[in-house]
């Protein structure tokens, strides 16, 4: 059985949990307190924070590698495009999102207000750039939910928590977020701490 070592508030662990629940397979999620890292995790991956995936002799530490492995190992429902060209485009899009958007997620939780405010401005600017895409189609890559949407979900879920206000110019982005959050297994993939990040009415 697959084991995912997952921090309950880490957005990158959140991504991996979403993929595991989407696949509907048997797995175990082991909550990790990074301030008191379990000894077995330190042995498996001495240099890595969560998430860490263990399956038999395989140990994976990068969330994108973990998610692509799960998607290939359990191909239904498929989250990466079957077409090689579209799959390459998805990987390129995700790489750009990592370097231009997700890299600021740690800064959004900084104790220094200047760091937080600078990160918020950058994140808002990048989210605004996604609005024209979502004005034309229901999901980021095409008409189907994909790994790009999985990657975006934890950030969008945390907008209120990070005190990021998007305003009326982002109606299509907010509608897109609600569409992702309403997926049947999205709620199950969240930890109690993640659920508490938003007021759910």
């Amino acid at each position: 059985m697959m084991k995912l070592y997952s921090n309950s508030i880490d957005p990158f662990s959140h991504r991996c949990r979403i993929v595991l629940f989407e696949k509907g397979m048997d797995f175990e999620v082991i909550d990790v307190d990074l301030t008191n890292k379990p000894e077995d995790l330190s042995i498996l991956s001495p240099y890595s924070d969560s998430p860490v995936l263990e399956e038999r002799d395989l140990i994976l530490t990068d969330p994108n590698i973990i998610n692509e492995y799960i998607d290939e190992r359990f191909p239904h429902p498929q989250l990466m495009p079957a077409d090689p060209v579209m799959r390459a485009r998805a990987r390129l899009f995700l790489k750009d999102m990592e370097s231009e958007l997700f890299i600021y997620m740690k800064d959004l939780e900084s104790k220094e207000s200047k760091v937080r405010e600078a990160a918020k401005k950058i994140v808002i600017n990048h989210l605004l750039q996604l609005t024209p895409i979502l004005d034309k189609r229901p999901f980021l890559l095409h008409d189907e939910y994909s790994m790009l949407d999985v990657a975006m979900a934890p950030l969008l879920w945390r907008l209120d928590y990070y005190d990021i206000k998007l305003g009326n110019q982002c109606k299509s982005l907010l509608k897109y977020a609600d569409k992702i959050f309403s997926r049947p297994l999205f709620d199950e993939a969240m930890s109690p701490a993640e659920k508490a990040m938003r007021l759910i009415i």
Side-chain angles (χ1 to χ4, degrees):
M1 179 187 292
M2 282 186 177
K3 292 181 182 178
L4 179 72
Y5 293 85
S6 164
N7 182 291
S8 62
I9 59 169
D10 171 46
F12 300 98
S13 294
H14 190 177
R15 279 191 208 177
C16 296
R17 281 185 266 115
I18 291 170
V19 171
L20 286 168
F21 276 92
E22 284 283 340
K23 296 294 182 175
M25 43 175 277
D26 288 333
F27 59 89
E28 180 183 1
V29 175
I30 300 165
D31 287 326
V32 174
D33 177 359
L34 294 179
T35 60
N36 187 20
K37 205 163 157 182
E39 187 178 338
D40 53 347
L41 180 58
S42 296
I43 292 167
L44 288 173
S45 179
Y47 305 110
S48 177
D49 295 335
S50 58
V52 174
L53 184 80
E54 177 188 15
E55 187 183 33
R56 298 189 185 98
D57 295 332
L58 178 67
I59 308 297
L60 300 174
T61 58
D62 179 89
N64 293 330
I65 293 171
I66 290 171
N67 282 346
E68 282 209 43
Y69 171 73
I70 295 167
D71 195 46
E72 290 173 3
R73 177 105 162 70
F74 302 93
H76 302 289
Q78 192 168 23
L79 294 173
M80 285 295 280
D83 175 64
V85 172
M86 289 299 289
R87 195 160 58 244
R89 285 183 179 151
R91 287 180 176 134
L92 186 59
F93 198 156
L94 186 54
K95 180 179 180 293
D96 290 343
M97 286 164 53
E98 294 288 359
S99 60
E100 296 174 9
L101 180 60
F102 301 134
I103 195 170
Y104 294 100
M105 290 183 77
K106 287 191 178 180
D107 288 347
L108 291 170
E109 297 188 17
S110 172
K111 293 179 181 176
E112 296 181 34
S113 62
K114 285 183 180 179
V115 173
R116 282 197 315 273
E117 290 305 313
K120 279 164 62 173
K121 287 178 183 174
I122 293 167
V123 167
I124 289 169
N125 182 50
H126 283 290
L127 290 175
L128 286 171
Q129 291 175 28
L130 294 176
T131 301
I133 295 171
L134 295 167
D135 284 338
K136 296 176 184 173
R137 55 188 184 228
F139 296 103
L140 282 176
L141 190 61
H142 43 65
D143 292 338
E144 301 294 326
Y145 182 77
S146 76
M147 204 66 82
L148 295 180
D149 307 301
V150 169
M152 280 299 298
L155 172 59
L156 295 174
W157 182 259
R158 288 161 171 77
L159 291 181
D160 290 343
Y161 178 74
Y162 295 144
D163 193 30
I164 293 176
K165 309 291 186 229
L166 294 178
N168 289 332
Q169 70 269 40
C170 287
K171 283 183 181 176
S172 57
L173 183 66
L174 296 172
K175 185 178 175 184
Y176 161 72
D178 288 340
K179 190 184 309 173
I180 290 175
F181 303 156
S182 66
R183 290 183 68 80
L185 296 171
F186 183 81
D187 189 62
E188 289 184 47
M190 281 190 292
S191 69
E194 285 165 342
K195 290 178 183 180
M197 288 177 174
R198 287 171 65 103
L199 177 62
I200 304 171
I201 299 172

